[in-house]
Amino acid sequence: MKKKAFFVLIIKKWYLCKQKEPDMKLKFTIQYATEWGQSLHVVLKYVSQYSTERQQNLTMLTDDGQQWTVETAVIESRQHPVTAIVYYYQVEDAEGEVLRREWNAIPRYYSFDSSKNYLFADMWRDKPLNHHLYSAAYATTMRFADKGEVRPLRMPLYRKTILFRVSAPQLLEGQSVALIGSHPALGCWNPARYLQMTPIGGHDWMLSVSVEATEGAMEYKYVVTDNQTHELIAWEEGDNRIWHNEIADGQVWVAYGEPLRLCEKSWRCAGVVVPVFALRSERSYGVGDFGDLKQLVDWAVLTGQKIIQLLPVNDTTTDGSWANSHPYNITSCFALHPHYLDLEQLGALGDKKLMTAFHRRRRELNALKISDYEAVERVKRDYVAEAFKECGQRVLESDGFKTWYTENQDWLDDYARWRQPENTSLVYFVQYQLHCQLKAAADYARQHGVSLKGDLPIGVNRESAETMFHPNLFHLEAQAGAIPSAQQPQGQNWGFPTYEWSDHLVVWLRRRLRWMAQYFDALRIDHVLAFFRLWEIPVNSLYGLLGHFSPSLPLTVGEIEYFGLPFRKDFMTRPFVDNRVIDRLFGIHSQYVRDHFLDNGKYGLYSLKPEFATQRQIQNHFEGLTDENSLWIRDGLMRLVCNVLFLEDNRQPDMYHPRFAIYQDSVFEALPAEEREAFMRLYNHYFFQRHNFFWGKLATQRLSDVFDNSDMLCCAEDLGLLPDCVAPVLDQQRILTLEVQSLPKQTNYEFTHLDGNPYRSVCTISTHDMPSLRLWWAESPERTQRYYVTMLQKQGRAPEQLPAHLAEEIIARHLYCPSMLCLLSLQDWLSMDGELRAANPREERINTPNDPYNRWQWRMHLTIEQLMAATKYNNKVRTMITRSKR
């Protein structure tokens, strides 16, 4: 019995050994200089044969704070054999908070052989300087085939193996990467004996080499070869790469260091900026649609333009009124606007009388100079309802719809319940048709070498599907706006709720980017400053003057007094109202205001009655009153509310923000001279010094988390009052800046020199928030004269109206500037043709930011068909773009 038990034990051990394979080792080494309290980590993921995944966070070790190493054993079983590994590096602090991650858009993804030990000699990867070469916009405009995602190809392994891997986005079509070096296995520097590498996706190439006898250092370089002739075209630049690691039996060394050192040709493109709603064709219904977008692609191809930039195409509908025409006031981050539905692609209705009536309504809408939002809403809503009756059920039962619904159910069901809870099927039908039409237009553009550039609105409508179903993502007690300026002294109040930054918000923003990537190769980040800080206004306020930066570092009472300013809470945080202020603001209505809106206080001061303590209460009280006296009193009361030195932080009690531009108001004048000086020291410190490092660090993390793994070319809208940290952070993140010659970013300059534009930028003449070139020229003769003399270097008096030949010169100067992209509004492109441009430049303006009732109604005054037929003009545009090497 003892012998039998012994043999049973032996058999059990043998069985367990067969179940558990030998532990194979992975060793990671990297050089990275950390600061005190920081540590480097490898986030390692094992991928099994059946796509199951297991993740580890490995803490690396160092002796000098620069050279980091970690080893780990790969434990696998027959049930779940590891077939591949993928990993990246990150920096953590002592509490385990992630401070920084390396760029991981091209993952470190490798096939795994359990009979080998792997050693990874790595370099930290920041976003490469030529990051734009990895973008979808570059691939589309260069007509490159899709490189696909990195895949873990199984390469041949030997007794001693080096896996060479390199990233080579500079290659042109028909080119490959090869390896040549000093070792006999690498060809002994003989150009005829190069080793061809294998593409593994994502612009990366790999080659496995057997190195049996290596004595001393081994030198090598990557070279570029021609796929057809197999000739060696170019050697990479710089010194030879050196390999000096000893390789033992059964080891696989992975050499993945610098990308291919080869100077790429400058990639520069021209394009047009136009809202979809502004397009006009003979077949559209009073507003541009996704069918018109295809025709615009044809015009772009005809003129040599490679980029079409659009305004947001998201749904903005709440009640179908003119207020919904604002394309940035979106009600869903994923739903497309029903106005952009091409009705002809839906097909003709079976009822001929109805079709005749719709054709008549189309002619009436197209006869208008503008896009009539409310009329378009009625026509398209009626047509879609009839189309849904005829073919809706058939579409909803199709395989294409079912697949799309499954992929978009996470947002579609919520949106449908919010939009039309009584008929969600109609919402599904409309959104599916919109998706198919925009996707078809995007694919058509890509096939013709044209990239669509989308727009990522920074805010959402307060009454939207997003705020209803994801309230945790927003601060609904606050609203976003813009800081006051010389042009808009009260600031702007956009009404959008501000964001509650969290991991949930990052996931949501990444989901938005994946949705946009279906249609767009490039992306405009609206108000990129929101990733640094937003101008946040309490929901009970209307003026931007009562806002403050968020996030920010508000001041404690101790900090305020450190600057020499004694803090008196009642005096400094409540509106300052005395008889002099009342008489100055209200004139003949002063006594009426004292009697009805104010309470008497001590020392000759007054306070607003509780029912008029906020601007929202004042607005509600005067609702519907339009006579001059009522408006005078209302606006005066609004200004009284703003007459405060400090604003208390609504989330951190006893912390305070100085009110912006308060030195222009009466409460500042009421301070003694020494306190005014102390306040200005505090003010300048708070607004121009205190937050730079804080915002820079914050924005770096946020921008990395959201945009790092997107292949869209990211372009920032970075106009306005910019903190010093913005430019270096955008440069580090390889995000294109926006350069407008009439809006210089350097202080004390009226215009910028186009030759000074950075390469990683988008240059333009005007934006949708500005007057067009012709209108800008006519608005201020004095400013125009200075531009005429200093920038255009002309003599004499500038013409009152911009002539076509000068517009052509201005456009040419922009085309020849160093900026990567030159994207001009359609109005500005047309300004250089006296016959094609609109008769009245005042009709070309799209938006006036300081007008809360602005109607977004501008529409092309000529059709795309007429534009296509303008052969002489189109040839001129193509010639200018070609000569500027765009």
Side-chain angles (χ1 to χ4, degrees):
M1 290 296 292
K2 287 183 179 179
K3 275 189 176 181
K4 185 175 180 181
F6 175 78
F7 281 117
V8 168
L9 182 61
I10 293 295
I11 291 171
K12 282 184 177 179
K13 287 185 176 181
W14 174 84
Y15 180 74
L16 290 172
C17 288
K18 293 296 287 181
Q19 286 291 305
K20 182 180 176 182
E21 297 293 334
D23 297 349
M24 304 312 296
K25 290 182 179 179
L26 304 175
K27 181 178 180 180
F28 302 90
T29 62
I30 189 172
Q31 277 206 334
Y32 186 91
T34 56
E35 298 177 4
W36 179 257
Q38 296 178 349
S39 58
L40 207 61
H41 293 247
V42 179
V43 180
L44 174 64
K45 185 185 295 182
Y46 301 101
V47 182
S48 77
Q49 183 177 352
Y50 306 106
S51 297
T52 57
E53 296 179 351
R54 179 167 53 90
Q55 185 166 299
Q56 279 184 298
N57 185 325
L58 306 175
T59 304
M60 304 187 77
L61 304 175
T62 183
D63 293 328
D64 57 6
Q66 296 204 21
Q67 185 71 28
W68 295 82
T69 307
V70 68
E71 290 188 18
T72 185
V74 180
I75 303 175
E76 60 173 0
S77 65
R78 291 187 180 275
Q79 287 80 10
H80 299 287
V82 175
T83 58
I85 60 169
V86 59
Y87 67 95
Y88 60 87
Y89 295 96
Q90 66 185 27
V91 182
E92 298 182 12
D93 62 14
E95 286 74 38
E97 181 184 349
V98 177
L99 303 177
R100 192 176 179 216
R101 287 190 183 91
E102 69 168 351
W103 181 62
N104 195 39
I106 308 296
R108 302 179 186 270
Y109 204 178
Y110 298 97
S111 177
F112 177 76
D113 185 333
S114 59
S115 65
K116 303 290 184 181
N117 289 321
Y118 287 78
L119 299 95
F120 300 93
D122 289 327
M123 295 177 61
W124 180 274
R125 296 188 304 173
D126 286 315
K127 274 190 177 178
L129 286 171
N130 56 5
H131 182 255
H132 60 279
L133 301 184
Y134 294 87
S135 70
Y138 177 75
T140 295
T141 57
M142 294 295 289
R143 302 290 191 96
F144 288 166
D146 183 15
K147 304 296 181 185
E149 296 182 353
V150 172
R151 52 200 184 279
L153 290 185
R154 186 169 288 276
M155 308 295 290
L157 301 179
Y158 311 96
R159 191 162 66 93
K160 298 179 179 181
T161 308
I162 300 179
L163 269 180
F164 292 96
R165 179 176 171 181
V166 67
S167 189
Q170 308 98 319
L171 297 187
L172 302 177
E173 284 293 286
Q175 295 180 349
S176 296
V177 182
L179 183 69
I180 191 169
S182 60
H183 191 271
L186 304 183
C188 292
W189 295 119
N190 185 342
R193 294 179 56 194
Y194 63 74
L195 301 178
Q196 193 71 52
M197 301 185 76
T198 302
I200 62 171
H203 300 281
D204 277 24
W205 298 72
M206 189 179 287
L207 172 71
S208 63
V209 177
S210 173
V211 282
E212 290 296 330
T214 55
E215 294 183 3
M218 179 173 64
E219 299 186 5
Y220 65 96
K221 272 193 171 184
Y222 295 108
V223 296
V224 179
T225 63
D226 185 279
N227 290 349
Q228 290 188 343
T229 63
H230 305 293
E231 293 180 358
L232 193 156
I233 300 173
W235 294 71
E236 73 169 339
E237 299 164 357
D239 296 334
N240 295 339
R241 300 176 189 244
I242 300 176
W243 182 265
H244 47 72
N245 294 299
E246 292 293 331
I247 304 177
D249 288 353
Q251 284 188 343
V252 178
W253 274 93
V254 180
Y256 186 26
E258 293 180 85
L260 181 68
R261 300 193 301 251
L262 191 66
C263 184
E264 72 273 7
K265 293 182 179 179
S266 291
W267 176 65
R268 295 163 67 246
C269 292
V272 63
V273 183
V274 60
V276 174
F277 63 75
L279 299 178
R280 182 188 292 270
S281 72
E282 295 173 357
R283 33 176 297 287
S284 53
Y285 277 74
V287 68
D289 56 44
F290 293 145
D292 294 336
L293 198 50
K294 275 189 177 181
Q295 291 183 268
L296 189 67
V297 169
D298 292 334
W299 178 70
V301 172
L302 191 64
T303 54
Q305 300 183 69
K306 300 293 181 64
I307 309 283
I308 295 175
Q309 179 177 320
L310 307 174
L311 267 59
V313 292
N314 303 80
D315 191 10
T316 60
T317 310
T318 54
D319 57 8
S321 68
W322 270 108
N324 299 164
S325 65
H326 195 320
Y328 290 88
N329 198 15
I330 62 175
T331 54
S332 170
C333 295
F334 304 97
L336 297 167
H337 204 302
H339 281 202
Y340 302 147
L341 194 63
D342 180 359
L343 300 185
E344 286 206 348
Q345 289 190 51
L346 281 185
L349 301 176
D351 190 325
K352 291 185 178 180
K353 287 185 178 180
L354 269 178
M355 280 306 301
T356 301
F358 276 113
H359 285 155
R360 175 180 54 78
R361 295 168 76 179
R362 175 169 67 179
R363 287 193 299 271
E364 292 172 354
L365 288 173
N366 285 341
L368 299 174
K369 286 186 177 182
I370 62 168
S371 176
D372 188 328
Y373 188 91
E374 294 179 346
V376 169
E377 172 72 19
R378 290 190 294 269
V379 171
K380 293 217 168 184
R381 183 182 61 226
D382 294 346
Y383 194 102
V384 168
E386 294 297 329
F388 181 68
K389 291 177 186 176
E390 293 187 6
C391 64
Q393 199 58 40
R394 185 174 71 252
V395 170
L396 298 182
E397 291 174 356
S398 66
D399 292 339
F401 170 80
K402 291 175 181 177
T403 302
W404 174 80
Y405 175 80
T406 302
E407 294 171 351
N408 295 273
Q409 189 176 1
D410 58 332
W411 65 265
L412 184 60
D413 286 344
D414 289 344
Y415 168 74
R417 289 197 300 272
W418 174 85
R419 182 79 169 82
Q420 208 165 340
E422 72 282 357
N423 192 357
T424 55
S425 295
L426 176 60
V427 178
Y428 296 154
F429 172 77
V430 172
Q431 287 301 314
Y432 176 63
Q433 296 290 349
L434 285 163
H435 160 74
C436 291
Q437 291 184 13
L438 180 55
K439 187 67 168 66
D443 291 344
Y444 182 80
R446 288 166 177 149
Q447 291 162 12
H448 289 78
V450 175
S451 285
L452 300 185
K453 181 182 175 186
D455 198 323
L456 181 71
I458 194 57
V460 300
N461 191 307
R462 185 171 293 276
E463 306 297 330
S464 66
E466 309 302 337
T467 55
M468 175 178 284
F469 292 103
H470 305 286
N472 59 308
L473 302 179
F474 305 96
H475 289 302
L476 295 174
E477 78 287 355
Q479 50 199 343
I483 197 167
S485 65
Q487 295 76 26
Q488 297 166 315
Q490 294 174 355
Q492 295 179 38
N493 185 343
W494 302 330
F496 310 137
T498 57
Y499 289 126
E500 170 65 55
W501 277 94
S502 63
D503 291 341
H504 296 295
L505 182 66
V506 171
V507 170
W508 179 75
L509 288 169
R510 287 176 181 170
R511 175 69 178 95
R512 289 179 68 179
L513 293 185
R514 290 196 302 274
W515 175 83
M516 294 186 74
Q518 302 174 90
Y519 316 114
F520 304 113
D521 297 331
L523 176 70
R524 174 186 180 271
I525 306 172
D526 177 42
H527 196 65
V528 75
L529 285 178
F531 288 87
F532 295 79
R533 66 357 177 223
L534 261 174
W535 190 248
E536 186 176 85
I537 307 163
V539 75
N540 58 12
S541 300
L542 300 178
Y543 289 1
L545 275 174
L546 291 174
H548 59 79
F549 292 129
S550 177
S552 61
L553 303 170
L555 299 161
T556 65
V557 172
E559 286 178 302
I560 293 172
E561 296 187 338
Y562 172 80
F563 283 90
L565 181 66
F567 185 75
R568 305 180 293 282
K569 184 171 182 178
D570 286 349
F571 171 71
M572 293 183 168
T573 63
R574 294 180 180 177
F576 174 76
V577 187
D578 64 6
N579 284 314
R580 189 174 56 139
V581 173
I582 297 169
D583 293 338
R584 184 190 303 174
L585 286 177
F586 300 101
I588 60 174
H589 304 295
S590 296
Q591 192 57 46
Y592 178 82
V593 170
R594 290 187 186 94
D595 294 341
H596 292 84
F597 300 97
L598 302 175
D599 288 329
N600 281 313
K602 297 178 180 179
Y603 313 113
L605 299 179
Y606 298 83
S607 61
L608 288 158
K609 290 182 181 293
E611 60 268 32
F612 304 111
T614 70
Q615 291 184 330
R616 190 74 62 183
Q617 290 173 314
I618 295 168
Q619 181 193 44
N620 293 338
H621 176 77
F622 286 91
E623 190 74 38
L625 301 177
T626 58
D627 61 282
E628 183 180 350
N629 292 330
S630 296
L631 297 180
W632 183 353
I633 295 172
R634 182 199 66 185
D635 293 346
L637 293 172
M638 295 279 193
R639 290 182 62 182
L640 278 186
V641 175
C642 297
N643 199 26
V644 292
L645 281 170
F646 289 96
L647 306 168
E648 187 168 8
D649 192 275
N650 58 339
R651 299 187 192 98
Q652 302 177 73
D654 300 321
M655 304 282 279
Y656 303 92
H657 308 267
R659 207 216 76 189
F660 191 78
I662 189 61
Y663 51 81
Q664 299 172 345
D665 286 4
S666 55
V667 64
F668 181 75
E669 297 172 3
L671 293 173
E674 63 275 11
E675 290 189 9
R676 288 201 296 270
E677 291 180 7
F679 182 87
M680 289 310 299
R681 288 195 299 270
L682 176 153
Y683 181 93
N684 290 325
H685 165 76
Y686 179 86
F687 282 105
F688 305 110
Q689 299 170 9
R690 183 178 178 88
H691 297 94
N692 269 322
F693 178 78
F694 172 66
W695 285 336
K697 181 180 177 182
L698 195 68
T700 299
Q701 186 68 50
R702 289 176 173 181
L703 290 167
S704 297
D705 287 347
V706 175
F707 296 103
D708 261 8
N709 291 327
S710 174
D711 66 353
M712 289 185 286
L713 181 67
C714 294
C715 311
E717 184 274 289
D718 58 332
L719 304 177
L721 181 65
L722 301 179
D724 293 339
C725 60
V726 172
V729 168
L730 293 182
D731 181 64
Q732 182 189 62
Q733 296 297 313
R734 316 304 183 214
I735 295 175
L736 277 64
T737 60
L738 180 60
E739 306 298 328
V740 182
Q741 190 174 25
S742 59
L743 296 175
K745 292 173 181 174
Q746 303 96 330
T747 55
N748 302 320
Y749 284 85
E750 188 173 19
F751 311 109
T752 62
H753 288 274
L754 293 173
D755 290 341
N757 284 5
Y759 171 61
R760 197 180 294 114
S761 69
V762 179
C763 81
T764 191
I765 297 173
S766 62
T767 72
H768 62 268
D769 286 332
M770 297 169 59
S772 65
L773 173 60
R774 293 168 63 208
L775 183 56
W776 177 87
W777 185 279
E779 276 183 343
S780 173
E782 296 83 5
R783 180 187 61 197
T784 299
Q785 183 64 38
R786 293 192 294 272
Y787 179 81
Y788 185 74
V789 173
T790 59
M791 295 293 106
L792 297 184
Q793 298 176 328
K794 305 291 183 183
Q795 295 180 349
R797 192 167 187 81
E800 290 185 12
Q801 302 297 325
L802 179 66
H805 72 276
L806 277 182
E808 181 178 337
E809 181 178 339
I810 293 170
I811 290 171
R813 288 170 180 260
H814 281 76
L815 287 172
Y816 278 90
C817 81
S819 296
M820 186 184 296
L821 303 182
C822 177
L823 306 180
L824 308 181
S825 69
L826 183 61
Q827 303 97 302
D828 290 345
W829 272 118
L830 293 175
S831 67
M832 67 179 188
D833 190 291
E835 296 179 0
L836 290 179
R837 66 188 191 179
N840 184 1
R842 296 194 177 279
E843 296 175 354
E844 295 180 335
R845 180 138 196 174
I846 297 177
N847 180 43
T848 306
N850 57 358
D851 178 7
Y853 305 104
N854 180 78
R855 294 184 173 187
W856 297 68
Q857 61 186 14
W858 177 74
R859 199 175 183 211
M860 293 171 60
H861 64 284
L862 71 169
T863 65
I864 301 176
E865 291 87 350
Q866 290 172 322
L867 193 56
M868 292 283 291
T871 305
K872 182 180 177 182
Y873 169 77
N874 292 333
N875 288 340
K876 179 191 287 187
V877 173
R878 188 175 190 89
T879 300
M880 291 173 68
I881 291 173
T882 302
R883 287 179 177 173
S884 64
K885 297 182 180 179
R886 289 192 179 271

